[in-house]
Amino acid sequence: MSSTAASTLTSEDSILASSSNSYDNIHPGLSHHDALAILEQSLDSLDSASDYYMAAAHLVNFPGDKTEEALLRLIDNSSGEQAVNLARRKAVEVLGRLGVQRAIPSIGRCLRSNDHYLVENAAWALLQLNCQDVELHQAMLPLLNDPGQSRRVLIQALVGLEVHAALPVLQSLQDEANPGVRGAALAGVAQLSGDGSRLQELEDHLTLPNQMDRQSAIQDLIDCRATYLLPSILKAPVSPVFRLRALRTLWPGQDKEHAGIDLLTCLDSLMWDQPEGLVLAHCYDTEPTILFLFDEFFGTDFSRCYLALSTLKHRPAEELWPVFWKRWQEDAYNDYGAHYFFIQLLGSVDIWPSAATPVIEALLLEAMNSKRPQFGKSRAAACLALNKHFPDIWCKSVRQLLSSDFTPSWELRYAALIGLDSIDVGNNHEIIQLLQNAFAVQDPDIFVDRRRQLLISENRV
């Protein structure tokens, strides 16, 4: 599963990037001066046509006047070259992320562009900048009637900016054929008018055949704060990134229970992330082969991936391992989508062939300790799998896993606490002392700390 086009702001990569800075500095050897120099070169003198885009993206790491001026010049470059068009889109996005208010007029002019991706990014950036320019609001309104535009992002921008003049158009779009547009309109009407009578329709979007529609539905429900639909959101067959984000965003304050569900039970389930807890959007008409099922892990639709995982975990481990190892070595080790499901499979099978265990141990340790942000989902899954198959090895890592200083990922710290539930502490004084020290320190993440408090209340030490 690779990244989608640079213009798309609703992919998993974009959500990860917006919640973390880990994706920003992907060219650490590129200095501020070098990035600015690239944007000053002519297109035919560049080493690669993508250099403009790379430089514009990298400037997010260097807020300040020089960065702003370079990006503004780039936005005003209307040469029409594709390399320039791509870079202009990124420049608009970066200026929005940096909160550059003086960029609003230049970004607003992009709304008149024939490049609908540039229009999309401009609308998104104006929302980030909380643009209150009524003329720009009025410029966005007629674009809602153009099916060639990214109407979903335009709706989100207008609603986020509280442009009530958009309400009549949004009401008409509640019956639009395109699910993404329809869902955004349903959420938008509820936000602008307070009438949420049709929000229940969004629940059906959570199991639509197209994954992007399912992901969009979750965002729509987040936007309109539909907390009562959390149980359905948590069963949607999408990446756990989206479900975790919905839970963290929508869960009401200090409540232990909400909408008939228990917070820690939901979090535990999300960390284990087993297909039995989801409502899958697909099924098999015939019995698939093992090779086919492994191939499904490389697809972009998580519903199909979960269905393959659900099927594979019941096949004989002796038949699974040769295919697993072959596909891992070929490409799964470096495909962040497939990587996650391969690691999940390792934890889902109870007993692997003894000859495979040294390799599995090494794979799980590597995955758990990986620092590459695109493999973040795999870290918690690897932690739980290592705890299941190699508890003694796992225990050697638990000190660092429980420390927010060594383990910034709250998901990984939470998974470590789940793992402690299955460890027989017994009379191991070293482990007892370690846990007592760990439990004496409050975790900075509220969800992790609640899990810590649960273990204390259960007298785990």
Side-chain angles (χ1 to χ4, degrees):
M1 297 181 186
S2 56
S3 321
T4 52
S7 59
T8 304
L9 297 169
T10 52
S11 68
E12 179 182 348
D13 292 329
S14 297
I15 284 181
L16 288 169
S18 66
S19 61
S20 167
N21 293 327
S22 57
Y23 279 80
D24 290 340
N25 193 17
I26 60 174
H27 302 288
L30 186 65
S31 70
H32 187 200
H33 177 271
D34 290 340
L36 293 172
I38 288 172
L39 294 181
E40 292 296 325
Q41 295 181 45
S42 62
L43 183 59
D44 57 8
S45 67
L46 296 176
D47 292 334
S48 169
S50 63
D51 282 355
Y52 279 161
Y53 179 92
M54 175 189 68
H58 193 61
L59 286 177
V60 76
N61 299 292
F62 306 101
D65 289 343
K66 289 184 177 180
T67 286
E68 294 173 18
E69 290 161 6
L71 293 174
L72 287 169
R73 285 195 299 272
L74 180 56
I75 290 177
D76 291 333
N77 184 340
S78 56
S79 72
E81 296 283 351
Q82 182 64 1
V84 174
N85 290 339
L86 291 171
R88 291 178 73 200
R89 299 173 194 169
K90 179 55 69 172
V92 167
E93 178 192 329
V94 170
L95 287 166
R97 290 182 62 192
L98 292 177
V100 182
Q101 291 291 315
R102 66 174 174 136
I104 287 177
S106 293
I107 293 174
R109 287 193 290 274
C110 294
L111 294 172
R112 300 195 296 267
S113 173
N114 293 325
D115 177 1
H116 71 272
Y117 291 121
L118 181 59
V119 173
E120 174 184 351
N121 283 20
W124 179 87
L126 291 173
L127 174 59
Q128 308 314 304
L129 296 170
N130 192 28
C131 170
Q132 296 302 313
D133 187 323
V134 176
E135 289 187 5
L136 293 181
H137 297 171
Q138 292 297 319
M140 282 190 273
L141 285 173
L143 299 176
L144 293 176
N145 296 313
D146 181 359
Q149 297 291 344
S150 299
R151 291 184 292 172
R152 176 176 173 79
V153 175
L154 286 162
I155 292 171
Q156 291 171 328
L158 288 163
V159 173
L161 294 170
E162 299 183 359
V163 181
H164 288 267
L167 190 55
V169 183
L170 298 190
Q171 288 170 330
S172 68
L173 291 175
Q174 289 182 111
D175 297 304
E176 169 67 30
N178 182 299
V181 175
R182 181 170 70 247
L186 288 166
V189 168
Q191 290 170 264
L192 291 179
S193 70
D195 179 10
S197 59
R198 294 188 61 177
L199 284 181
Q200 198 73 35
E201 296 175 34
L202 277 172
E203 186 174 24
D204 293 334
H205 288 207
L206 295 170
T207 52
L208 287 172
N210 182 280
Q211 174 161 274
M212 186 62 75
D213 291 335
R214 301 194 296 270
Q215 294 170 178
S216 296
I218 291 178
Q219 185 59 54
D220 294 331
L221 292 169
I222 290 174
D223 289 344
C224 61
R225 306 291 304 176
T227 61
Y228 64 97
L229 287 175
L230 254 178
S232 296
I233 293 174
L234 298 179
K235 295 178 181 178
V238 297
S239 166
V241 170
F242 292 92
R243 287 177 276 131
L244 279 169
R245 182 168 179 264
L247 184 65
R248 290 196 69 97
T249 306
L250 295 178
W251 193 267
Q254 299 293 322
D255 291 3
K256 294 181 179 179
E257 297 182 357
H258 180 72
I261 54 179
D262 174 80
L263 174 61
L264 294 182
T265 301
C266 290
L267 283 165
D268 283 11
S269 178
L270 281 165
M271 293 301 163
W272 285 112
D273 198 26
Q274 292 300 297
E276 291 76 13
L278 305 175
V279 178
L280 302 184
H282 304 89
C283 63
Y284 296 132
D285 295 327
T286 59
E287 188 72 9
T289 66
I290 288 178
L291 184 58
F292 170 84
L293 292 169
F294 274 105
D295 284 343
E296 287 287 88
F297 285 169
F298 293 86
T300 57
D301 192 319
F302 272 71
S303 178
R304 294 186 180 278
C305 295
Y306 284 116
L307 181 59
L309 175 62
S310 177
T311 308
L312 280 171
K313 64 195 289 188
H314 297 296
R315 298 290 180 89
E318 293 77 10
E319 297 178 15
L320 295 179
W321 178 248
V323 184
F324 179 105
W325 185 228
K326 181 175 184 293
R327 293 309 311 272
W328 179 271
Q329 291 177 298
E330 288 175 346
D331 37 23
Y333 76 95
N334 201 38
D335 181 300
Y336 66 84
H339 188 281
Y340 175 68
F341 284 99
F342 272 68
I343 296 298
Q344 279 286 12
L345 182 60
L346 289 179
S348 299
V349 174
D350 290 333
I351 301 176
W352 288 98
S354 57
T357 54
V359 177
I360 292 174
E361 177 188 326
L363 292 183
L364 292 176
L365 280 169
E366 180 184 22
M368 186 177 74
N369 295 314
S370 174
K371 304 301 182 186
R372 291 187 290 176
Q374 65 268 41
F375 294 96
K377 293 192 303 297
S378 296
R379 298 187 70 192
C383 175
L384 293 171
L386 190 71
N387 172 272
K388 174 179 179 176
H389 293 303
F390 308 98
D392 292 340
I393 301 297
W394 182 87
C395 283
K396 294 178 181 179
S397 302
V398 71
R399 181 190 298 273
Q400 291 191 357
L401 290 175
L402 293 174
S403 168
S404 59
D405 292 332
F406 287 101
T407 306
S409 165
W410 77 266
E411 296 96 333
L412 185 52
R413 299 200 306 278
Y414 192 100
L417 290 173
I418 293 177
L420 286 176
D421 266 342
S422 63
I423 293 295
D424 182 10
V425 176
N427 295 318
N428 189 324
H429 296 291
E430 182 180 353
I431 293 294
I432 291 174
Q433 185 62 51
L434 170 65
L435 298 184
Q436 288 175 338
N437 292 341
F439 289 165
V441 180
Q442 181 177 353
D443 194 278
D445 184 272
I446 184 173
F447 288 171
V448 179
D449 201 63
R450 288 191 185 182
R451 196 63 171 81
R452 179 187 69 92
Q453 293 173 23
L454 175 64
L455 289 179
I456 293 174
S457 69
E458 292 176 342
N459 296 312
R460 290 294 294 159
V461 294

